Amino acid sequence: MKPIWLASYPRSGNTLVRTILYQCFNLKTGSIYVNDLGGKSPLENYVGHIEHNENQSITFPPGSLPIIKTHKFQNGDNSTIYVVRDGRAACASLWEFTNPKVPMIDIIEGNHKFGRWCDHINSWNPISRPNTLLLKYEHILEDIDGTLLSLSNFLDLEITNNVLPLSLIHISEPTRR
């Protein structure tokens, strides 16, 4: 089975959605990035993170959907969950996350490994890309029930839990890689 991409510009809610997938659908997720959550076991357990094997593959539980986080553009016709956040907030959060390594102007102009916010969205084209669910970060925070319903319909899965054990704001706080 082809992996389902969980894509976003950095600091746009990808880890939040991974947490929702695990806590509310019992779906563990991987990442294209090795040691994505910095080896922080409590966070990895809460998010439902699956770390890479020694050969860089990811082993998903039997019968599970292979959902993989990425910030890099992926070609192909894989199903995709794309998370978008207000560009100003995403850039400010990315700057705070990298500070003082990358100046704010470089974040805005895309002079770093992830490029410009608008170019990221344009490359993924989540509105027109086939088999894509577009989630807005701000909407996730405002309407968890609507988000759960959208994910349930897109993934064709039953919701196993409607409540996250910790606040959504807690998980959206910066985690440094």
Side-chain angles (χ1 to χ4, degrees):
M1 171 182 259
K2 288 182 180 180
I4 298 169
W5 298 122
L6 176 53
S8 70
Y9 188 78
R11 312 301 304 154
S12 293
N14 206 309
T15 302
L16 173 61
V17 173
R18 292 178 72 191
T19 302
I20 291 168
L21 290 170
Y22 182 56
Q23 296 292 331
C24 300
F25 294 91
N26 200 31
L27 283 175
K28 291 189 170 195
T29 56
S31 172
I32 67 167
Y33 310 101
V34 175
N35 200 22
D36 183 47
L37 298 174
K40 298 175 183 172
S41 293
L43 181 60
E44 290 175 347
N45 292 336
Y46 184 70
V47 170
H49 173 71
I50 303 171
E51 191 50 66
H52 291 219
N53 300 315
E54 287 184 23
N55 67 359
Q56 301 307 308
S57 67
I58 302 170
T59 304
F60 290 90
S64 182
L65 295 175
I67 300 175
I68 300 176
K69 167 193 172 172
T70 185
H71 297 307
K72 296 179 182 178
F73 177 70
Q74 306 291 332
N75 281 317
D77 59 354
N78 297 50
S79 294
T80 301
I81 300 167
Y82 189 89
V83 185
V84 66
R85 184 178 187 183
D86 178 285
R88 296 163 297 187
C91 288
S93 182
L94 182 57
W95 176 75
E96 288 174 7
F97 184 75
T98 63
N99 193 31
K101 295 176 188 172
V102 180
M104 176 59 100
I105 191 67
D106 285 344
I107 298 289
I108 294 167
E109 292 178 353
N111 298 326
H112 57 94
K113 68 181 179 178
F114 297 110
R116 294 187 323 158
W117 175 86
C118 60
D119 293 339
H120 193 278
I121 292 172
N122 289 336
S123 67
W124 279 93
N125 194 12
I127 293 174
S128 299
R129 185 182 174 113
N131 304 314
T132 298
L133 173 63
L134 175 61
L135 296 176
K136 295 181 180 178
Y137 173 81
E138 295 80 8
H139 184 257
I140 294 168
L141 296 178
E142 293 170 5
D143 184 11
I144 188 64
D145 291 332
T147 299
L148 292 176
L149 184 59
S150 294
L151 286 165
S152 175
N153 291 334
F154 183 74
L155 299 171
D156 195 27
L157 290 175
E158 296 291 322
I159 301 165
T160 59
N161 181 15
N162 286 10
V163 180
L164 293 171
L166 295 176
S167 77
L168 295 179
I169 300 304
H170 172 78
I171 198 62
S172 64
E173 291 300 315
T175 57
R176 298 195 185 275
R177 279 194 269 202

